[in-house]
Amino acid sequence: MPESTAKYLYVLLNIYLIIGIGLLILRSIVVIIDSIDTLTVQYSSPENILRFYSNLRHLIPFFKRCLEYIIYVSIATLVVEQIEIIANLATYGSKAVKIIGIIFLSRGLIVIANLFLQEALLRYPKLTDVQRKKRLTIIPVLESLLKYLIYFGSGILILDTIEIDATPILAGAGIVGLAVGLGAQNLINDMVSGFFILFENYYLVGDYIQTGEAEGIVEAIELRTTRIRHVNGQMYIIRNGDIGSITNYSKDYIYAVVEVGIEYDADLDQVYRVIEKVGHQLKEKYSEVLEPTKVDGIEDFGDFDLSIRTITKVKPGKHHQIKLVLRKMIKDFFDQEGIELNAQDPVFILKQ
């Protein structure tokens, strides 16, 4: 056999072995990772350190993909080294592997940092409700800052890996950032407004608030935006700079106001007694009720009914839930007492 032919066959054999062994290693690693994952889930409990694994487990698919890319890049690098014409390109393989590793580590660091924040700030068992709300409010802000810092550091490392000097880029970014900052007044306004919202304690995560057309429970306060979840499920995302007057329903207590429409010929004394009886039973059944329901008086003389206003003192943010329960209890008690609600009102009988 000619020497050149033997040489090419030897190269092809090496390439075949490299690809075969690489794929075998990839499948073996996947099996090992899945086995370790199963065992870890099986033996994890709230008492040992494996309790944190449930928060890290979602990284497993991403970890598998990164390992897959690293093995494919390594296979390609070894194959390129066997071909003299393009062997000099093999140096890029190690750089690609390093970049993939940096990306995975940055993602893992973000998750670990978030987990550490929650563990450090929320683990203490004797936190009051106000303290817990304050910490839940500040955690997203700290998470955002850490995420940006980690991404920034990862970008610098990637630039260094591909042998690009980051110093001129950072200097240019500073100048561009200053120019953009001078023009991006809305961005600066949002961040400053968010700072004052947190500093002056206007509202916290978990508070029930109303601002403009948005009303609901605050789910997150971020550097630029506030996220409010309405009781019907829709999410309001509002720029902090656009938030004007705020009504906070989560300070000390709130009244659940329900108006009841009854016939003009109804016995008001009997109606008042029944509503107050309902109020006492409501307080016994629901810990959210701070004081029994009271009749505030006649709210309005309608075309078809009298509108009686009732108020119930409840815990912050619980007024919608108690309104629904109270309406049903009033209807049931009125039926038992033979009190008729207005049946001629074309709009509705029990008014909010």
Side-chain angles (χ1 to χ4, degrees):
M1 182 181 298
E3 183 179 352
S4 59
T5 303
K7 180 180 178 181
Y8 291 138
L9 289 175
Y10 179 74
V11 170
L12 289 175
L13 177 61
N14 283 343
I15 293 174
Y16 176 77
L17 290 175
I18 290 169
I19 295 174
I21 294 173
L23 295 176
L24 179 62
I25 291 173
L26 176 61
R27 294 188 179 184
S28 302
I29 289 176
V30 170
V31 172
I32 292 171
I33 292 173
D34 290 339
S35 301
I36 294 175
D37 177 54
T38 303
L39 290 173
T40 306
V41 172
Q42 182 178 352
Y43 290 102
S44 63
S45 70
E47 289 77 23
N48 57 34
I49 196 171
L50 294 179
R51 68 179 184 272
F52 300 114
Y53 183 69
S54 60
N55 300 99
L56 303 174
R57 196 181 181 196
H58 67 278
L59 285 174
I60 295 296
F62 183 66
F63 180 53
K64 286 182 180 178
R65 288 199 301 273
C66 289
L67 280 179
E68 182 180 354
Y69 297 151
I70 287 174
I71 291 175
Y72 285 151
V73 170
S74 300
I75 291 174
T77 301
L78 293 174
V79 168
V80 168
E81 286 180 347
Q82 304 301 314
I83 305 173
E84 295 181 359
I85 300 176
I86 57 174
N88 59 333
L89 298 177
T91 55
Y92 295 104
S94 60
K95 295 179 180 180
V97 169
K98 187 175 180 180
I99 291 172
I100 295 172
I102 291 171
I103 293 172
F104 172 75
L105 288 177
S106 62
R107 175 82 174 273
L109 279 175
I110 291 172
V111 175
I112 293 173
N114 294 345
L115 181 61
F116 174 78
L117 281 175
Q118 294 179 9
E119 184 73 11
L121 296 178
L122 299 177
R123 183 70 176 173
Y124 188 63
K126 296 182 180 180
L127 292 175
T128 64
D129 290 339
V130 175
Q131 289 175 329
R132 180 171 292 275
K133 281 185 176 182
K134 286 183 177 179
R135 298 189 181 198
L136 286 172
T137 301
I138 199 67
I139 282 176
V141 179
L142 295 177
E143 287 178 348
S144 297
L145 291 174
L146 285 174
K147 180 174 67 174
Y148 292 137
L149 287 174
I150 291 172
Y151 281 153
F152 179 77
S154 300
I156 297 298
L157 290 176
I158 290 174
L159 290 176
D160 183 64
T161 300
I162 58 179
E163 299 179 353
I164 295 178
D165 187 6
T167 305
I169 296 177
L170 292 176
I175 296 172
V176 173
L178 179 61
V180 172
L182 292 174
Q185 295 181 6
N186 289 335
L187 174 62
I188 297 173
N189 185 31
D190 294 339
M191 297 181 69
V192 171
S193 299
F195 171 78
F196 280 109
I197 287 171
L198 295 172
F199 182 75
E200 299 189 9
N201 198 23
Y202 292 152
Y203 53 82
L204 301 171
V205 170
D207 284 0
Y208 191 100
I209 69 169
Q210 180 179 1
T211 174
E213 297 181 356
E215 179 180 353
I217 298 173
V218 179
E219 288 197 351
I221 304 173
E222 299 172 347
L223 289 177
R224 289 199 59 215
T225 60
T226 293
R227 298 174 182 267
I228 302 173
R229 177 77 65 179
H230 193 270
V231 291
N232 294 333
Q234 62 264 35
M235 170 73 77
Y236 295 100
I237 302 175
I238 309 172
R239 290 175 41 224
N240 293 328
D242 290 340
I243 294 177
S245 60
I246 302 167
T247 303
N248 193 331
Y249 295 95
S250 297
K251 299 295 184 183
D252 300 328
Y253 65 90
I254 187 174
Y255 286 111
V257 179
V258 174
E259 295 182 10
V260 184
I262 62 170
E263 300 284 352
Y264 271 98
D265 57 357
D267 185 348
L268 290 182
D269 292 333
Q270 182 188 12
V271 171
Y272 286 8
R273 286 195 302 269
V274 172
I275 292 177
E276 290 177 355
K277 183 179 178 181
V278 171
H280 283 89
Q281 289 205 10
L282 182 71
K283 185 178 186 304
E284 292 176 359
K285 289 184 178 180
Y286 295 91
S287 60
E288 294 87 353
V289 179
L290 300 177
E291 292 181 3
T293 303
K294 298 178 181 178
V295 177
D296 208 25
I298 298 176
E299 178 73 13
D300 187 28
F301 292 97
D303 294 334
F304 302 97
D305 63 356
L306 287 171
S307 181
I308 297 176
R309 186 175 188 265
T310 69
I311 58 173
T312 308
K313 193 175 184 178
V314 300
K315 291 181 179 179
K318 302 298 182 181
H319 53 296
H320 280 292
Q321 173 190 352
I322 298 302
K323 280 182 182 180
L324 300 176
V325 176
L326 179 58
R327 289 189 182 107
K328 182 180 183 304
M329 291 182 67
I330 289 176
K331 173 67 169 60
D332 293 340
F333 272 75
F334 275 22
D335 289 344
Q336 294 175 10
E337 297 291 334
I339 301 174
E340 293 187 4
L341 296 166
N342 177 33
Q344 297 178 348
D345 193 334
V347 183
F348 49 80
I349 294 172
L350 292 181
K351 300 179 181 178
Q352 181 173 352

